[in-house]
Amino acid sequence: MEKGIILIVDDEENIRDILFEVLSNEGYECERAEGGEEALSKLKRKPFQLVLSDILMPGMSGIDLLKEAKAADRDLSFIMVTAVHAAETAIEAMRLGADNYLIKPFNLDEVILSVDKALHRRRLIIENREYQFHLERKVEERTRELHEALKKIRASYRATLEALGSALDTRDIGTHAHSRRVTHYALLLGRTLGMNDQELETLERGVYLHDIGKIGIPDDILLRPGKLTKQEMEIMMTHAELGKRLLSKIDFLNEASEIVYSHQERYDGTGYPRGLKGEEIPFGARVFAIVDALDAMTSDRPYRRALPFEAARAEIIRASGVQFDPNIVRVFMSIPKEQWLKARERPLHYEEEREVA
Ligand SMILES: [Fe+2]
């Protein structure tokens, strides 16, 4: 195997020949040039890896050759050969990118060593650059794959939420719009309470799906307009636990299922299904209770007209510490009416595509 291709540039024939012989014996493929111009035209025709050049030559100098050759191929190794009196020029050559310089009369072992070193260094630089390049490509590729995967996951989350939402829709007219409004209210309140993005995401899912358990309640109980018997009421009340059971099997809804499970609890402990009290009730469910009441009171029901916003707020203050967490009620009260009205009209992002389509 070739160790490398070297161009020897010197105006003195005997020096060219000595270097040619020594380096050829070392296994290098060598060519000779008498001066800078000839060297440049040879460099254009063959992929040399190293130039060994004299500095002072008639015509183009070794320094000019170095500049031009390096500009054409930044990976070209370059060793300057100089007379003692040109040591300063040799240093200039190093500054311009030469790997080394040899002072005449040179020791042949030193020439071989310099050439080996320069070519070794060249290989390392190229390998390192290729490694960097591949690394960057690899990172880019992985990042792209990750983005794709996340996009797919999000799409499947959305599809799942939509499927669950519309499953509920087919059973209980009006629930879906209620879920949407309450979800926006909950996000507004949750954000004002300082919940972080992850907590808000869980809150959003839990609130949106709070009544999902109703898909397991028989039609004649769920859809009956009149009053329910005590036994029917008990069946109706199982919807909180049914919802939890349904969602806890879906990995990304597992946390949200706690809100679903506790959405009918009351701060004073008189709610269901567990009769949790105060801070035993998951925070998201305590947030939900307030915004659910707000929406229920400000929406028309078959048995009564919607209350004005201010009246609903007054009712919530009245139930603070009884039905609702007083600390959350305080933050609820700090949010101006306009913000609630704005949240009320916003479409939910799972639905956006469906609504446009
Ligand atoms: Fe409910």
Side-chain angles (χ1 to χ4, degrees):
M1 200 187 92
E2 287 294 340
K3 284 176 77 178
I5 314 174
I6 300 176
L7 182 61
I8 297 157
V9 191
D10 204 303
D11 56 323
E12 283 179 62
E13 191 180 2
N14 60 333
I15 291 186
R16 284 201 304 272
D17 292 346
I18 291 169
L19 289 172
F20 181 86
E21 208 172 309
V22 169
L23 292 170
S24 297
N25 281 340
E26 284 298 310
Y28 291 107
E29 181 186 334
C30 300
E31 286 199 21
R32 286 162 284 197
E34 280 184 32
E37 286 87 356
E38 191 192 347
L40 279 179
S41 73
K42 285 198 173 215
L43 284 171
K44 272 183 205 135
R45 286 198 300 268
K46 206 170 192 169
F48 288 94
Q49 287 143 25
L50 185 141
V51 173
L52 198 63
S53 174
D54 190 17
I55 290 187
L56 287 171
M57 296 177 288
M60 185 183 237
S61 77
I63 292 289
D64 290 336
L65 172 63
L66 168 65
K67 284 187 199 158
E68 291 209 22
K70 274 280 187 185
D73 176 8
R74 62 174 170 163
D75 291 327
L76 184 71
S77 293
F78 207 105
I79 296 173
M80 214 47 116
V81 182
T82 169
V84 181
H85 60 82
E88 271 175 36
T89 323
I91 290 161
E92 163 80 356
M94 296 288 282
R95 200 180 58 74
L96 290 170
D99 293 84
N100 202 354
Y101 66 93
L102 300 167
I103 295 173
K104 288 184 206 175
F106 41 71
N107 172 327
L108 290 175
D109 288 336
E110 198 191 340
V111 172
I112 294 165
L113 197 69
S114 277
V115 166
D116 283 348
K117 263 193 181 164
L119 288 174
H120 180 67
R121 185 166 158 251
R122 175 180 178 276
R123 267 195 301 276
L124 284 182
I125 290 171
I126 292 173
E127 276 169 17
N128 189 41
R129 188 190 305 135
E130 277 172 4
Y131 175 76
Q132 285 293 335
F133 179 72
H134 286 299
L135 195 67
E136 278 162 28
R137 286 270 297 272
K138 204 102 205 143
V139 169
E140 269 172 32
E141 208 176 291
R142 288 277 174 276
T143 309
R144 216 172 19 245
E145 282 170 11
L146 195 64
H147 276 300
E148 282 303 309
L150 282 174
K151 237 166 83 183
K152 275 188 200 151
I153 290 171
R154 273 199 205 104
S156 80
Y157 280 2
R158 195 185 304 129
T160 307
L161 288 167
E162 246 186 70
L164 288 168
S166 60
L168 197 51
D169 255 359
T170 58
R171 299 294 314 282
D172 190 5
I173 311 296
T175 303
H176 191 245
H178 163 68
S179 293
R180 176 178 58 77
R181 288 192 303 268
V182 176
T183 301
H184 281 305
Y185 289 160
L187 287 174
L188 173 59
L189 183 51
R191 223 171 268 132
T192 314
L193 283 160
M195 293 172 84
N196 67 32
D197 285 352
Q198 211 192 327
E199 292 165 335
L200 287 170
E201 197 171 68
T202 301
L203 180 70
E204 177 178 10
R205 291 167 178 171
V207 171
Y208 181 65
L209 299 171
H210 69 274
D211 268 344
I212 190 67
K214 284 188 179 170
I215 61 178
I217 304 296
D219 276 350
D220 61 324
I221 296 175
L222 184 68
L223 304 177
R224 174 123 48 86
K227 225 173 173 268
L228 300 175
T229 66
K230 186 164 177 282
Q231 200 198 4
E232 286 168 338
M233 200 59 192
E234 271 165 17
I235 292 172
M236 189 66 173
M237 281 158 74
T238 61
H239 80 276
E241 198 178 342
L242 279 177
K244 178 209 158 68
R245 290 220 311 259
L246 186 76
L247 299 190
S248 58
K249 289 186 198 114
I250 304 169
D251 210 32
F252 82 99
L253 294 173
N254 198 9
E255 272 184 72
S257 74
E258 284 306 316
I259 295 176
V260 174
Y261 192 26
S262 311
H263 81 275
Q264 298 282 4
E265 301 287 358
R266 290 167 56 105
Y267 197 72
D268 63 2
T270 61
Y272 68 90
R274 288 175 288 177
L276 299 179
K277 209 172 184 169
E279 303 202 347
E280 290 169 4
I281 305 167
F283 188 75
R286 278 180 272 150
V287 171
F288 165 82
I290 296 171
V291 292
D292 181 52
L294 175 72
D295 187 63
M297 288 189 279
T298 54
S299 304
D300 283 328
R301 287 291 153 103
Y303 44 89
R304 61 147 177 76
R305 300 279 301 166
L307 285 181
F309 184 81
E310 295 305 338
R313 263 224 290 222
E315 281 301 317
I316 286 168
I317 294 176
R318 213 189 322 276
S320 177
V322 181
Q323 191 177 348
F324 309 121
D325 181 335
N327 292 320
I328 303 180
V329 171
R330 212 166 299 130
V331 175
F332 166 80
M333 290 303 297
S334 74
I335 301 171
K337 181 180 172 182
E338 302 72 53
Q339 284 196 44
W340 294 107
L341 296 182
K342 228 167 92 189
R344 187 182 169 89
E345 300 313 324
R346 199 171 297 156
L348 199 67
H349 59 79
Y350 325 122
E351 305 161 6
E352 273 163 12
E353 282 166 36
R354 196 171 52 187
E355 289 193 352
V356 169

